Amino acid sequence: KQELQLPSGDYQYFFRCVDAGRNSAEASSSFSVFADKQAPRVTRAYKQDALKIVTDEDAQCVYSLNNCNYVFEDGSPIIYSNPDNKRSHFAEWKSSNIYYIKCQDLYGNRPDPNKCSAVVSAIQLEQSV
């Protein structure tokens, strides 16, 4: 067992094992590594009794009602709609609020401290008669 921290790329590893009787076996393995360095993206935001947020990968999301310049840990949590689905989130809806949302993936990738994943506010649509 050996832990490796590899950058993105293609790799080929060669292995040789020798037992106590000096018998040996050789093999190789090829694989590709993709290192996720991007913060999750908000793919949908809408009102359905609450503010609903959908992300493109499993994420934890928070919001501020002031601006995007806040530390992730200081944000108000947006909870999961279903604990088994970490891409669907919701928060209490208040039409007068502007939600400055930041989302972090399971690897800790998140927006810069002064940036948001999304900014969401309500608009009132006028119906024509």
Side-chain angles (χ1 to χ4, degrees):
K1 177 179 176 183
Q2 182 173 350
E3 185 175 319
L4 300 172
Q5 294 186 2
L6 302 172
S8 295
D10 296 323
Y11 296 88
Q12 184 171 13
Y13 274 67
F14 299 91
F15 306 95
R16 181 182 315 166
C17 296
V18 180
D19 66 14
R22 301 187 95 169
N23 300 305
S24 68
E26 295 179 357
S28 66
S29 179
S30 298
F31 57 93
S32 296
V33 173
F34 169 74
D36 180 4
K37 301 286 185 189
Q38 299 295 318
R41 291 188 308 249
V42 172
T43 58
R44 291 180 63 199
Y46 59 97
K47 178 190 176 226
Q48 186 181 43
D49 300 325
L51 171 60
K52 301 281 185 161
I53 301 293
V54 179
T55 54
D56 66 344
E57 64 179 303
D58 289 355
Q60 176 186 13
C61 299
V62 298
Y63 71 90
S64 170
L65 298 176
N66 299 320
N67 56 47
C68 290
N69 194 16
Y70 66 95
V71 177
F72 187 88
E73 290 77 14
D74 293 340
S76 299
I78 301 176
I79 61 176
Y80 299 119
S81 299
N82 173 343
D84 294 329
N85 180 0
K86 293 183 172 36
R87 294 180 182 210
S88 181
H89 319 265
F90 77 96
E92 180 183 12
W93 177 264
K94 291 187 180 175
S95 59
S96 60
N97 287 347
I98 298 174
Y99 295 84
Y100 298 91
I101 299 167
K102 293 184 181 196
C103 296
Q104 169 181 282
D105 68 16
L106 303 179
Y107 303 103
N109 296 316
R110 61 172 79 154
D112 292 335
N114 62 341
K115 302 227 164 125
C116 281
S117 300
V119 177
V120 177
S121 64
I123 57 169
Q124 183 68 37
L125 298 175
E126 302 275 334
Q127 291 188 354
S128 34
V129 179

